[in-house]
Amino acid sequence: RGLARMLVRATERQARQEGCRVLNLDVRDTQVPAITLFETLEYVRWGTHPYYAWVNGHYVPGHFFCKLLNPPKPPVDE
């Protein structure tokens, strides 16, 4: 239905309006649909924590993402 995508986009719009330049997020390795969504929305995975969460008696890795909300524009050649 696209609800998660709409929520992320709405969060990005609000963050831009508030003057935020970067969004950071983290997610457990087991949340594959969320990871896929963030990657399709151009979030960059910058790191992984191998012991992010303790779940059912074992560690689950977590991934860290960021996104520039207003990336600099490349210079125009004249």
Side-chain angles (χ1 to χ4, degrees):
R1 291 185 177 35
L3 180 59
R5 181 176 298 275
M6 288 187 294
L7 287 170
V8 173
R9 290 291 195 203
T11 299
E12 291 173 354
R13 277 191 303 277
Q14 185 64 40
R16 281 187 188 96
Q17 290 175 359
E18 299 290 330
C20 295
R21 296 177 185 225
V22 177
L23 284 180
N24 296 296
L25 60 90
D26 53 277
V27 63
R28 287 193 313 206
D29 185 64
T30 56
Q31 296 173 302
V32 176
I35 292 168
T36 301
L37 172 64
F38 297 136
E39 290 175 340
T40 64
L41 293 173
E42 300 179 350
Y43 283 77
V44 176
R45 186 185 312 197
W46 61 265
T48 298
H49 186 310
Y51 309 108
Y52 178 79
W54 182 257
V55 179
N56 297 325
H58 68 279
Y59 286 107
V60 175
H63 305 291
F64 298 91
F65 292 84
C66 65
K67 181 176 183 176
L68 289 175
L69 295 178
N70 296 307
K73 304 212 185 310
V76 178
D77 293 334
E78 296 184 30

